[in-house]
């Protein structure tokens, strides 16, 4: 008997990349794609895709797993349950955050986060950093060294007392990003405005979950987005504005782009499928489930976000999975109590539902093309954070991270999801698709019904310089300057 040419062949796929859609068989060997074409030789195993769409596995470039929290808060998902949930929704690479707390060395934060991840993940993972204490040691030694070692992106917060940087600190950190070719991600909300509004709401006894949205109106996001863009312009560095929620922030980004500035933008499912009303129309505590920042806005802003997904304004679509149980003392009810909105842990789950929501309502709903779906959910996140072309595409040499889509009606039910959170904000939404198979480096991790664990099979990925950033001249290589026509 002849030896099979491949470990696995996916037959009769309708392959979709960010640029093309075509029919092919996919030959997989050693966890990589080794051949694409019609009529490939036999594999040791074969899956007949029956003409169904096959996309790259999703790259969720913004999610939080087992991130250390101030007690009593604790995230419900760690690298085991979070990546299990990711796989069952078609995501095969996650990039959560190694978060520095003030007074801590950045290196210590990274080492601690590796201990949390080691041997637990079912899909591959990389780390972003969160820089909350940019001491001279961090700026001149730790951060440059970590960027060289494969941590080529970091998040900067403009709000939260324990995380936020002032403008001078932001300039310093952005300058490190420019000098060393890293991607800076910005949480853009004005901290002082939020504090001022929160105090006024509290003084008026308005502390129910729904007032979270009133404490963070779009103005505070608009102002911070504008300021972040100006600071990045001053330093001359590209930035990624994350979790953009609606029109006023979008306008800032469009205006910056029209001036030729390299401003990238991310949005998330909550800004398409939720509104501020999901935080409550009365003072019920149930709305705590949908507390996240920036908060969801309204239907008109949802349309602005859809438009930005369709027309290229947005670079990536992430979940911002920040998993806290609702009915738990370490979750949305700190120490078992219904507390004022300021004290409710911020964030919602979404790793498993991100890809199906956008495939179903975006692609099958006629709002975005299939190729744009691939670009937003896989190719661009891989490029933005230095993982492409190993991740984020279907090509010879790339990892065999794949999703075979099943176009069938599905109703989202938390009982059927694989995270550890006790609710989904998308309960009851009817979709038209779900992954029939998810493959992580050639292994089936989800078959449309069952999860197939490979705990510890997920590998840590060192990130290269983001390929969305301009190439930096090699040392000693003079840059070619344009003739100065003003003189
Ligand atoms: N920002 C995030 O990116 N995630 C959760 C909470 C927040 O404010
Ligand atoms: Zn944020
Ligand atoms: Zn986040």
């Amino acid at each position: 008997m002849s030896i099979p040419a491949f470990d696995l062949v996916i037959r009769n796929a309708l392959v979709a990349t960010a640029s093309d859609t075509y029919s092919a068989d996919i030959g997989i060997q050693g966890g990589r794609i080794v051949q694409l074409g019609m009529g490939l030789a036999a594999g040791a195993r074969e899956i007949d895709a029956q003409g169904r769409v096959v996309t790259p596995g999703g790259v969720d470039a913004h999610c939080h797993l087992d991130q250390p929290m101030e007690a009593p808060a604790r995230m419900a998902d760690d690298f085991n349950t979070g990546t299990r949930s990711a796989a069952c929704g078609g995501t095969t690479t996650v990039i959560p955050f190694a978060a520095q707390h003030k007074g801590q060395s950045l290196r210590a934060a990274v080492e601690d986060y590796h201990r949390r991840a080691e041997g637990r993940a079912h899909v591959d993972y990389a780390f972003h950093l969160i820089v909350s204490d940019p001491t001279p040691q961090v700026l001149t030694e730790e951060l440059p060294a970590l960027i060289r070692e494969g941590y080529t992106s970091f998040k900067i917060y403009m709000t939260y007392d324990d995380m936020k940087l002032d403008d001078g600190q932001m300039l310093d950190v952005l300058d490190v990003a420019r000098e060393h070719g890293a991607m800076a991600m910005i949480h853009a909300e004005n901290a002082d405005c939020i504090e001022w509004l929160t105090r006024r709401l509290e003084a008026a006894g308005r502390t129910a979950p729904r007032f979270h949205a009133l404490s963070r109106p779009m103005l505070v996001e608009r102002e911070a987005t504008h300021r972040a863009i100006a600071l990045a312009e001053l330093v001359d560095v590209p930035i990624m504005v994350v979790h953009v929620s609606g029109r006023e922030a979008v306008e800032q980004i469009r205006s910056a782009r029209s001036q030729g500035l390299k401003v990238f933008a991310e949005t998330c499912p909550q800004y398409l499928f939720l509104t501020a009303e999901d935080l409550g129309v009365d003072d019920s505590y149930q709305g705590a489930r949908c507390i996240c920042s920036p908060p969801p806005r309204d239907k008109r802003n949802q349309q602005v976000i859809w438009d930005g997904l369709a027309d290229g304004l947005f670079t990536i679509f992430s979940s911002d999975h920040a998993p806290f149980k609702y009915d738990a003392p370490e979750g949305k009810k700190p120490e078992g109590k219904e507390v004022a909105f300021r004290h409710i842990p911020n964030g919602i789950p979404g790793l498993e539902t991100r890809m199906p929501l956008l495939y179903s309502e975006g692609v099958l709903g006629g709002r975005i093309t299939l190729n744009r779906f691939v670009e937003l959910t896989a190719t661009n996140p891989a490029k933005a954070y230095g993982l492409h072309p190993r991740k984020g595409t279907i090509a010879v040499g790339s990892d065999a991270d794949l999703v075979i889509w099943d176009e069938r009606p599905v109703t989202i039910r938390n009982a059927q999801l694989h995270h550890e959170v006790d609710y989904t904000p998308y309960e009851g939404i009817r979709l038209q698709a779900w992954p029939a198979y998810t493959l992580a480096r050639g292994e089936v991790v989800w078959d449309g019904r069952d999860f197939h664990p490979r705990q510890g099979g997920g590998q840590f990925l060192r990130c290269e310089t983001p390929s969305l950033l301009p190439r930096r001249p090699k040392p000693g290589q003079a840059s070619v300057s344009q003739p100065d026509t003003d003189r």
Side-chain angles (χ1 to χ4, degrees), residues 62-64 67 97 155 157 187 242-243 266 293 320-322:
H62 184 160
C63 54
H64 303 264
Q67 194 174 307
F97 296 82
K155 187 170 176 195
Y157 282 83
H187 179 127
V242 296
H243 43 48
E266 172 206 80
S293 298
D320 197 6
H321 181 84

Side-chain angles (χ1 to χ4, degrees), residues 184-255:
M185 309 161 75
I186 313 286
H187 179 127
E189 288 186 297
N190 179 311
D192 288 342
C193 292
I194 294 168
E195 181 59 28
W196 188 81
L197 286 166
T198 300
R199 287 208 195 130
R200 286 173 74 105
L201 288 162
E202 286 172 342
R206 307 174 94 193
T207 60
R210 71 189 171 101
F211 295 110
H212 171 83
L214 271 66
S215 74
R216 310 172 99 99
M218 196 135 29
L219 178 155
V220 311
E221 186 182 349
R222 182 229 303 162
E223 187 283 329
T225 304
H226 181 88
R227 184 157 37 101
I229 291 169
L231 299 180
E233 182 182 359
L234 184 60
V235 173
D236 190 20
V237 66
I239 52 170
M240 174 76 70
V241 185
V242 296
H243 43 48
V244 172
S245 75
R247 181 179 61 78
E248 295 183 32
V250 163
E251 284 172 354
Q252 296 301 318
I253 294 160
R254 278 199 201 285
S255 154

Side-chain angles (χ1 to χ4, degrees), residues 79-80 83-84 94 116-125 454-459:
F79 278 82
N80 168 19
T83 59
R84 173 181 78 194
V94 296
R116 291 167 184 262
E118 193 69 52
R120 291 196 176 83
H122 302 274
V123 304
D124 292 347
Y125 59 96
R454 62 200 269 277
Q455 197 169 4
Q459 291 176 358

